Amino acid sequence: MSYIYKNNRLVPAIVISICLILFYCFIDPSIQPGETLQVVSVEKTSEQAAAIVPQKPITEATTPHKANPPSQPTKSSSSLPKASSSPSSIQHNGLSADDVLLIVKTGGTTIWKRLLIHLTTSLDENRIKPENIAIYSDQTQTVGRFQVIDALANMTSEMKAKEDFAVYRQLPEYDSHNYYVEAAGVAGDEWGPVGGWIIDKYKFVPLVEHAGAHWPKAKWYIYMEDDAYLFLPNVISYLSSFDASKPHYLGSYAAKSDVIFAHGGAGFALSRGAWEQSFGSTKESLTSKYYQYTKDHCCGDQVLALALRDHGVKFGENGGDGKFTWGFNPLVHWNFAFEQSNWCKPVLSWHKVHSRDVARYYDLEKSWDFSTKGPLMHGDFFKHMILPDVKKRAEWWDNQSGVYSVASGNNEWSPKPPKEAKYDAALWKKAWQSVEDCEAACKSWDKCMQWAYVEDLCKMDDKMMMGQGYAEGMSQRKTALMHTSGWLYERLENWKCS
């Protein structure tokens, strides 16, 4: 009996040792020997920069479409090649992602529908460090490792009591009554209070004011909205040719009420020099100063441009001349006209995008070796993202052709290509008669890239556009006339970059 008892004393020690080992392994499987578990607090205030919880890089398999030569576009399921270097590590004339603040604007009624995809794409820490990101909304939220800042928090109580701010006051009520405003079609959903677009215009001036005050070391403030995607390596390369200490305000041209401004949906960039000359040059809050103008006008990007202009900061690439080239695009890629003039220009952004688009853009960006190939051009984007889906001819599809239209009612006097262009006048005149005649007329014009036909109307274009179609089973096939579209993608060989 004494012998048995002596051996049983080892059992508790063995059991305890096993438990300790299992506890160590299962408490955080990601911890490797030699690592320590860090606890980081998130400060929930709207007045400071976003608090960040360090995380390990996320690795994902990518399976986007892979482009084939223009002569034979076919779909491919093979993955894009991996880039040899991380975009965040690339410098352009000394400028890198460490030198910018990426500002993301969202809203209380859209944040859960649009922002989440950006957490693992646009805001991936391998792309840009979390401390170089600021997310603004009309509510304070904690989303993953980010503290979303209420851009309207510092507006006066009198302003917030106005009718335009009804949605601002109502959103917390929805939360307190356990209603979601995602409108995703699951139990508990509601569309949320109306007016999100109205209140959105009030965010532009205060968020730029706040960003410059809280991130004073940033050379550039790069703005994007939650329904947009910015090709950040391309944007940084583009900005590197400008002196950030000078007043620069860059983006896609827009104009309204005698104000030229950078289109907010397309994204824009403001240099530190521009911020200092405007927001930094006065003790007066520009948010309060331009409140009434914001109320009386439609668009926050317009208001911001006025505030900048009043302080001598004007939109434009050449010292505020109001001009821009290509890159910041206020449209989504399938609604955009690719043409010879932008084919060899860097693509900087797309707007009105969906989560699926963002994921595919991000995969393409990750696959691109910016260090050896340079910027991703519009032509590169088209070959990878659109060309694989382009066909010679597609029924129930409208590719948005429209430069020239030939119909039964105008075939005698329909607009025609300029005199120096080559085309067959006889084929042009009968283009309205059938799909085949429309295609033949397009082929006879040396600059034609695509065509579309419906009933007795033939439309031809010298640009390439993807457009949209109606899938089998969609109600539009029973309520609309069939469009047939075609693309002469073999002619893309003529759009070569030097």
Side-chain angles (χ1 to χ4, degrees):
M1 180 66 84
S2 174
Y3 175 77
I4 294 174
Y5 174 78
K6 182 178 180 180
N7 280 277
N8 282 347
R9 287 183 301 174
L10 297 174
V11 174
I14 294 173
V15 171
I16 292 172
S17 299
I18 293 173
C19 290
L20 288 173
I21 293 172
L22 291 174
F23 178 77
Y24 177 80
C25 292
F26 285 109
I27 190 170
D28 188 348
S30 66
I31 297 177
Q32 301 298 321
E35 289 186 83
T36 59
L37 181 65
Q38 294 182 328
V39 180
V40 183
S41 62
V42 179
E43 189 67 28
K44 296 185 178 181
T45 68
S46 62
E47 294 304 313
Q48 68 177 58
I52 310 300
V53 179
Q55 293 185 352
K56 287 181 173 295
I58 300 172
T59 57
E60 300 178 87
T62 60
T63 55
H65 294 291
K66 184 178 181 180
N68 295 279
S71 58
Q72 294 181 340
T74 57
K75 291 189 177 183
S76 171
S77 60
S78 58
S79 298
L80 289 166
K82 294 296 181 182
S84 61
S85 59
S86 171
S88 64
S89 65
I90 300 174
Q91 288 198 359
H92 303 274
N93 296 329
L95 187 70
S96 74
D98 292 339
D99 300 312
V100 307
L101 178 70
L102 180 61
I103 298 171
V104 182
K105 179 175 69 63
T106 184
T109 59
T110 64
I111 185 169
W112 303 113
K113 295 192 291 285
R114 297 178 181 175
L115 182 67
L116 301 188
I117 184 63
H118 289 289
L119 298 183
T120 55
T121 54
S122 302
L123 309 183
D124 185 344
E125 62 183 341
N126 289 321
R127 188 176 189 258
I128 182 170
K129 295 176 182 177
E131 54 265 33
N132 292 87
I133 298 168
I135 305 175
Y136 290 90
S137 182
D138 42 44
Q139 274 193 310
T140 300
Q141 302 270 7
T142 299
V143 182
R145 54 189 171 168
F146 294 102
Q147 181 66 35
V148 179
I149 303 167
D150 181 357
L152 307 176
N154 290 333
M155 299 188 80
T156 66
S157 299
E158 182 181 1
M159 294 176 186
K160 294 177 184 177
K162 299 294 185 181
E163 182 180 355
D164 284 358
F165 285 75
V167 63
Y168 184 76
R169 299 188 298 270
Q170 291 168 5
L171 276 169
E173 290 293 320
Y174 275 69
D175 289 343
S176 66
H177 286 78
N178 197 37
Y179 265 100
Y180 307 90
V181 293
E182 301 172 35
V186 296
D189 275 354
E190 282 291 329
W191 283 103
V194 296
W197 185 83
I198 294 175
I199 198 175
D200 188 77
K201 66 181 180 179
Y202 290 94
K203 300 174 191 172
F204 281 79
V205 172
L207 70 82
V208 172
E209 190 167 51
H210 181 277
H214 288 76
W215 282 270
K217 294 183 179 180
K219 295 180 180 179
W220 289 95
Y221 301 95
I222 303 174
Y223 170 94
M224 66 171 279
E225 300 190 347
D226 59 7
D227 63 342
Y229 186 87
L230 266 62
F231 289 87
L232 191 60
N234 273 5
V235 174
I236 291 173
S237 175
Y238 166 73
L239 296 178
S240 68
S241 62
F242 299 89
D243 184 350
S245 66
K246 304 296 183 181
H248 292 295
Y249 172 39
L250 308 166
S252 178
Y253 176 92
K256 195 172 182 66
S257 300
D258 195 35
V259 178
I260 296 174
F261 57 96
H263 190 287
F268 61 81
L270 191 70
S271 67
R272 181 64 193 182
W275 193 94
E276 290 287 0
Q277 185 170 314
S278 52
F279 293 92
S281 66
T282 176
K283 294 182 179 180
E284 179 185 12
S285 170
L286 298 189
T287 297
S288 300
K289 181 177 179 180
Y290 290 92
Y291 168 78
Q292 188 61 45
Y293 185 89
T294 306
K295 180 176 176 57
D296 295 340
H297 293 79
C298 83
C299 309
D301 40 10
Q302 170 193 346
V303 180
L304 174 62
L306 178 65
L308 294 171
R309 190 184 73 180
D310 287 348
H311 290 82
V313 179
K314 297 181 180 180
F315 171 85
E317 292 180 325
N318 305 297
D321 60 353
K323 297 180 180 179
F324 78 114
T325 51
W326 292 100
F328 289 103
N329 297 314
L331 301 172
V332 67
H333 71 278
W334 52 263
N335 202 27
F336 178 82
F338 292 83
E339 53 187 299
Q340 200 161 6
S341 58
N342 61 39
W343 193 250
C344 301
K345 302 292 185 181
V347 55
L348 304 180
S349 69
W350 297 117
H351 181 220
K352 297 186 182 298
V353 305
H354 291 255
S355 294
R356 178 181 64 179
D357 300 319
V358 172
R360 294 182 66 201
Y361 300 158
Y362 178 65
D363 280 344
L364 175 59
E365 181 185 294
K366 285 196 303 181
S367 75
W368 195 257
D369 191 344
F370 292 89
S371 61
T372 59
K373 294 182 179 180
L376 180 74
M377 304 298 182
H378 282 81
D380 300 317
F381 180 94
F382 186 94
K383 292 174 184 177
H384 284 285
M385 298 294 291
I386 296 179
L387 187 59
D389 294 313
V390 168
K391 302 175 183 178
K392 283 285 187 180
R393 184 184 295 181
E395 295 183 342
W396 290 107
W397 195 282
D398 184 1
N399 62 13
Q400 302 179 19
S401 298
V403 170
Y404 294 108
S405 297
V406 182
S408 59
N410 77 341
N411 66 94
E412 294 290 343
W413 48 268
S414 63
K416 297 174 179 61
K419 293 181 179 180
E420 62 271 16
K422 297 178 181 179
Y423 75 99
D424 188 311
L427 292 176
W428 195 271
K429 187 175 179 179
K430 59 181 290 190
W432 65 272
Q433 295 183 2
S434 69
V435 168
E436 289 71 23
D437 289 323
C438 183
E439 182 178 33
C442 178
K443 287 182 176 179
S444 78
W445 173 28
D446 61 344
K447 298 297 183 182
C448 192
M449 300 300 293
Q450 64 177 43
W451 55 270
Y453 182 85
V454 57
E455 195 176 17
D456 67 339
L457 174 63
C458 175
K459 299 177 291 183
M460 294 169 278
D461 215 302
D462 57 356
K463 298 175 284 294
M464 291 288 272
M465 291 171 280
M466 185 177 186
Q468 280 185 307
Y470 297 138
E472 187 175 354
M474 292 179 67
S475 63
Q476 288 88 341
R477 287 208 180 193
K478 296 182 179 180
T479 59
L481 293 172
M482 182 176 73
H483 276 74
T484 301
S485 293
W487 296 263
L488 306 185
Y489 49 76
E490 64 276 5
R491 293 185 175 182
L492 287 173
E493 294 290 351
N494 298 324
W495 292 2
K496 293 182 179 179
C497 300
S498 58

